[in-house]
Amino acid sequence: MEEAVPFSIVSTVKALSGALRRDTEHDAEISREREKLWFKESSAKNLRNRDFLSPNTVLTTLYSGGEVPSDVLSGIRSLRGSGVLPMGATELTAEGLRVCVDRCAAFRGVLCGITPYLRPAAQRQGCVLINCPALHTKQTVPSPDTLALGQLRTVLIADHLGAQLRRQGYTVSFCPALPQDSDIVNFLKTLGIDWPTVPVSWTNEDREEKMKKALENSTYRDREMERGKRRSRGEEIEGEKRGIKEEVRINLKQVVQDENLQGYDPSLGTCTVQREALCHLAQLDSATADFPVPTATALHVTSCQDEFRQQQTAMLWRAAGATAVQRLVICGPVKTPGVQMNAAQYLQLRKAQMKEASEMKYGDQVEGQTWDDIIRVMTSATVRFELLSTVHTSPVTLDVQRDSGVSTKGPRGGVFVMYNCARLHTLFSSYEKGVEQGLYPEIPGGTELDFSALKEEGEWLLLFNYLIPFSELLDQSGQILDHEGGTARVNLRTEQVCRFLVSLSKDFSSYYNRVHVLGEPLPHLFNQMFCRLLLLRALRELYHNALDSLNLPPIPQL
């Protein structure tokens, strides 16, 4: 039996636009225009009387006087199609044409088949290398004390991208590999980051030599400039014959021009190949050794301060023969006004604040391994949401004054999200205890329930704004990789999952504080209670899936 195609906001808007224009052909040609014809409502206030609106400004453009023909209205009400939400009432108002979804049918369709709403809309194929220059060896292996906050941000973004792309079907590798049990590896583990490692004795010298020879023999090697440099230093040309080590210079500008690459710095010129660059190139070569070339993409996740150097490295890699598509994910700086702080100090501060806040709320029970694990995960959540909730190209400003603290309540990012996820776990634990005690029966199959019982405005808001669009949200980074042109930079919207979870938690918290889900154990109340439990069970799975893309495990209690 084929799985039903899930409802989709995008599919519904396209269908509504086609019906409004009475246009059944040339879908691809007008798809961009169609997006402007309708607005999906999201605020609780507007959702009380409409789900989609086509404003009067649109209607007057399409029809004389803004009068929508009756056959068009009839066509909208009877809309059907793959992924299209079931239509309810339509009404012409002073604001425009408003459309309501058949909410009972939508609840039934989603909650009786929730699985496709919790995964990316499409599965893709291909290999992605996520390269994090902040972790590459300079003189020594990076450590938590040498890792700047801006560099930590790039590592967290790289980790989040990897989790997202894997769920979309990509094979993902990370670069560079780090020495096993090193301080930096253990530090990353405390943040839930499982970075690839190699034995301490591991060496990549063979690949470094391979990359050196590739660059020495590259068609982009600038021998004229090398000779000019040696002459300007008074070196004997014959010295080369006596084994004197010669420098290798690569014309990066020529690489950009020959490959017709867009978006690279126009000041990329000729650069001398340094040992540090060879180490970096060898790691890239090693990480992509098993990649099928036609489908390989390399994402260099780096800070804005290091963008130019990473563009140089990307072009050196291409000059050495690499054919992978390369994109740069450029991250803005992290600012801590009035305070100088490295990654280790920042994590230590947030952990101390999290422990103090927990002790103030929960008292003496905050002790033992269970609470140590909770505080570790909550600290990781705080750090991730602080550094990932801002558009990655923009700067982040952190308040790291010791007395500012972190809160275990209130809409403040990671802690608030984890707290609301834990509330769902507590709710279902209470329900299961009620079942064991004979107070409540087991939740029946969704087809046995009457979903018209879900009348509370918060219930539709949770379904329409979060459960239905979640699959499309998960799919976005893969779509961007699929359709991105040849520019150097790529914007993968790494802030969206964090922002989505914070917004969801605000709306869920508001609903949960208003509505008593587990009612009296009376048979005539069970239908509504079961419908609500199905909705919140789906929401709990959404939380788990979203947190998984941030490498944050759900916490059963808080």
Side-chain angles (χ1 to χ4, degrees), residues 8-14 16-17 37-42 46-47 49-55 76 79 83-91 93 96-103 460 464 468:
S8 157
I9 301 298
V10 171
S11 298
T12 303
V13 169
K14 286 182 178 179
L16 282 169
S17 299
L37 300 184
W38 291 89
F39 292 95
K40 173 197 173 293
E41 299 293 359
S42 58
N46 288 338
L47 286 174
N49 54 40
R50 63 181 184 245
D51 299 313
F52 298 97
L53 176 72
S54 184
I76 289 173
L79 266 183
V84 177
L85 281 159
M87 294 295 111
T90 62
E91 184 181 6
T93 68
L97 174 58
R98 70 184 188 190
V99 170
C100 292
V101 171
D102 181 341
R103 296 184 176 184
W460 176 245
F464 192 57
I468 293 175

Side-chain angles (χ1 to χ4, degrees), residues 139-161:
Q139 285 75 34
T140 58
V141 176
S143 75
D145 294 319
T146 61
L147 196 66
L149 290 179
Q151 293 175 315
L152 174 61
R153 186 186 187 192
T154 67
V155 178
L156 290 171
I157 287 175
D159 183 59
H160 177 45
L161 279 175

Side-chain angles (χ1 to χ4, degrees), residues 289-408:
D290 298 325
F291 275 19
V293 172
T295 57
T297 299
L299 294 176
H300 305 290
V301 186
T302 191
S303 65
C304 54
Q305 296 95 328
D306 286 336
E307 179 179 7
F308 184 78
R309 183 185 306 171
Q310 191 53 42
Q311 287 196 19
Q312 287 181 317
T313 303
M315 291 304 95
L316 283 174
W317 194 25
R318 190 166 287 277
T323 56
V325 174
Q326 297 187 66
R327 297 285 183 268
L328 280 79
V329 180
I330 305 302
C331 307
V334 177
K335 302 176 181 179
T336 53
V339 181
Q340 290 290 329
M341 185 170 282
N342 60 41
Q345 292 167 332
Y346 168 57
L347 186 64
Q348 185 178 17
L349 173 65
R350 288 294 184 249
K351 183 177 180 181
Q353 291 172 334
M354 190 68 240
K355 191 172 193 303
E356 182 181 353
S358 300
E359 288 172 343
M360 288 180 65
K361 183 171 184 178
Y362 299 103
D364 293 340
Q365 64 177 297
V366 182
E367 59 180 27
Q369 188 61 49
T370 298
W371 268 102
D372 287 346
D373 291 342
I374 289 174
I375 289 170
R376 176 180 53 77
V377 173
M378 294 300 288
T379 302
S380 178
T382 299
V383 168
R384 284 179 181 268
F385 276 77
E386 283 186 335
L387 295 181
L388 296 181
S389 295
T390 303
V391 176
H392 66 73
T393 53
S394 300
V396 171
T397 301
L398 298 177
D399 181 358
V400 291
Q401 302 296 330
R402 177 162 286 279
D403 58 359
S404 66
V406 294
S407 175
T408 56

Side-chain angles (χ1 to χ4, degrees), residues 24 63 166 331 358:
T24 57
Y63 303 107
R166 276 187 176 134
C331 307
S358 300

Side-chain angles (χ1 to χ4, degrees), residues 19-20 52 54 75 129-130 212 300 354 449 507 531 553:
L20 189 63
F52 298 97
S54 184
L129 171 67
I130 298 180
K212 180 172 178 287
H300 305 290
M354 190 68 240
L449 298 175
D507 286 332
C531 288

